Amino acid sequence: MESLIAQTWKALEIIIVNDGSTDNSVAIAQKYADTYPHVTLLHQANSGASVARNRGMEIATGEYIAFVDADDLTYPQMYETLMTMALKDDLDVAQCNADWCIRDTGNTWPSIPLDRVRTTEVLNGPEWLRMGLASRRWTHVVWMGVYRRELITRNKITFIPGLHHQDIIWTTEVMFNARRVKYTEACLYKYFLHDSSVSRLKRQGCKNLRYQRHYIKITRLLEKLNHDYAGRITIYPEFHQQITYEALRVCHAVRKEPDVLTRQQMIAEIFTSGMYKRMVTNVRSAKVAYQALLWSYRLWRWRDKTISPYHVVRKAFNLR
């Protein structure tokens, strides 16, 4: 909050969503709301980041919308830089680079190395998404940019409640609809890495299985987006291949899972959910084809061949 209050761009509307916090966060947030007229505080029962972001968007009145995670910070000129870009070139999306920082050590580095992507001119959304995905360093995070609110509301783009890493689907659909996008290589946001974040928690057994189901669902939703927008935009090879990359995440999780039964359940769901087919059919390069082929062999070798994948899944859910 201190980093937002200190922004050099003063035309800000700051919306804090209290997502059922159980510590002293509410008192801190209320103090900011009482002190600064451009700060609004909303309350909701704990429902997750997706619902909190959707609620904030519902009451936002600004021409552009931005998102900040509660445990990160923004550099003072972040929104002045992005809004100057957006207004000068009539952008739908203005994005920047960010610093990744290990909280415990302070070690910091750019999220997108300069040898991967440099500052761009105005591109359309699919072109920028293709460039970002091709770099293999751009990430589907909402906090590295500002987004035209009218574009979001007109296309009814919302975050999916309960879905981990919902940024992947949201940013993809925003870029599919954006006509004017620009990126600056300047690092304007500081993202802190720590072991208690959702993406870095150590999970085993049923917790790991439930977590990987989010990525399985993401592969299905990405494929649906490609299908739904195929007649309106160019579906570049990178849009197909990001489905394969997300599927490979689940495969790597199988290898790291120590519990034998859980591994069998994960392998079974990879096949019964259709994720294996999506992983293979969306390959668009020789390098990724090799990875998909390697994992096909591993999954076949590891799975219990005495029973069908469908039987394993039914057993996991206690279905007869």
Side-chain angles (χ1 to χ4, degrees):
M1 279 303 299
E2 286 298 321
S3 74
L4 289 175
I5 297 298
Q7 285 293 305
T8 57
W9 182 265
K10 297 304 181 184
L12 284 179
E13 172 188 47
I14 302 174
I15 300 169
I16 308 173
V17 181
N18 167 38
D19 185 38
S21 62
T22 56
D23 55 12
N24 197 38
S25 297
V26 178
I28 297 171
Q30 188 63 59
K31 183 177 179 180
Y32 281 104
D34 292 340
T35 304
Y36 300 98
H38 62 302
V39 176
T40 300
L41 175 59
L42 301 179
H43 300 277
Q44 67 180 35
N46 181 245
S47 305
S50 294
V51 176
R53 288 170 174 173
N54 288 339
R55 282 208 67 197
M57 287 194 294
E58 286 173 2
I59 73 161
T61 61
E63 185 177 352
Y64 289 84
I65 289 178
F67 304 90
V68 180
D69 284 356
D71 51 356
D72 298 332
L73 60 84
T74 56
Y75 294 141
Q77 293 186 316
M78 176 170 181
Y79 294 117
E80 180 177 6
T81 301
L82 294 177
M83 286 304 301
T84 299
M85 290 167 54
L87 297 177
K88 177 183 177 183
D89 290 313
D90 189 28
L91 303 178
D92 292 320
V93 180
Q95 284 198 323
C96 63
N97 205 346
D99 282 330
W100 294 73
C101 178
I102 299 177
R103 186 180 293 277
D104 291 342
T105 65
N107 186 30
T108 303
W109 66 95
S111 173
I112 307 176
L114 297 186
D115 62 347
R116 295 298 182 99
V117 183
R118 302 302 299 259
T119 297
T120 69
E121 297 300 322
V122 177
L123 305 168
N124 66 45
E127 288 172 340
W128 165 239
L129 181 59
R130 180 191 190 186
M131 182 183 296
L133 291 172
S135 76
R136 298 296 298 144
R137 288 297 183 270
W138 180 83
T139 52
H140 287 282
V141 291
V142 297
W143 34 258
M144 290 202 308
V146 296
Y147 310 86
R148 194 191 300 273
R149 186 166 63 89
E150 188 272 336
L151 175 113
I152 296 167
T153 56
R154 171 166 41 88
N155 292 286
K156 298 181 173 60
I157 304 173
T158 58
F159 294 94
I160 301 170
L163 180 66
H164 287 319
H165 306 293
Q166 70 281 355
D167 296 32
I168 297 172
I169 304 303
W170 194 89
T171 52
T172 297
E173 189 165 13
V174 166
M175 292 306 176
F176 278 8
N177 285 278
R179 292 293 169 261
R180 296 181 64 80
V181 178
K182 196 171 183 179
Y183 165 79
T184 174
E185 65 197 38
C187 294
L188 303 174
Y189 188 100
K190 195 166 191 175
Y191 177 82
F192 289 100
L193 297 164
H194 52 87
D195 290 338
S196 59
S197 66
V198 171
S199 60
R200 290 169 66 87
L201 282 175
K202 307 300 181 184
R203 300 175 178 85
Q204 294 181 354
C206 292
K207 289 183 178 180
N208 188 22
L209 176 61
R210 287 194 295 269
Y211 185 69
Q212 298 310 318
R213 285 173 181 155
H214 291 273
Y215 281 114
I216 292 175
K217 183 176 181 178
I218 283 169
T219 65
R220 177 173 58 81
L221 293 173
L222 286 174
E223 189 165 75
K224 184 177 186 303
L225 282 175
N226 285 348
H227 177 270
D228 291 347
Y229 282 86
R232 289 181 268 173
I233 64 170
T234 302
I235 303 299
Y236 292 108
E238 289 82 1
F239 301 170
H240 288 286
Q241 203 150 266
Q242 73 168 328
I243 297 170
T244 302
Y245 279 121
E246 298 301 340
L248 288 171
R249 288 178 187 265
V250 182
C251 293
H252 285 290
V254 172
R255 182 174 60 180
K256 297 176 181 179
E257 174 54 53
D259 182 71
V260 175
L261 178 58
T262 300
R263 290 181 74 186
Q264 289 302 315
Q265 291 174 358
M266 291 171 68
I267 293 171
E269 292 195 28
I270 284 173
F271 288 100
T272 58
S273 67
M275 193 201 82
Y276 173 77
K277 181 179 179 180
R278 290 190 288 274
M279 178 178 74
V280 173
T281 59
N282 283 284
V283 168
R284 292 298 186 274
S285 72
K287 180 179 179 180
V288 178
Y290 170 77
Q291 294 182 53
L293 183 63
L294 177 63
W295 276 105
S296 296
Y297 167 73
R298 286 171 172 168
L299 294 173
W300 179 85
R301 182 163 57 89
W302 292 343
R303 76 179 180 86
D304 184 348
K305 302 175 187 63
T306 63
I307 53 177
S308 71
Y310 289 93
H311 184 77
V312 174
V313 173
R314 292 171 69 84
K315 182 178 178 181
F317 286 98
N318 294 317
L319 299 174
R320 295 185 180 274

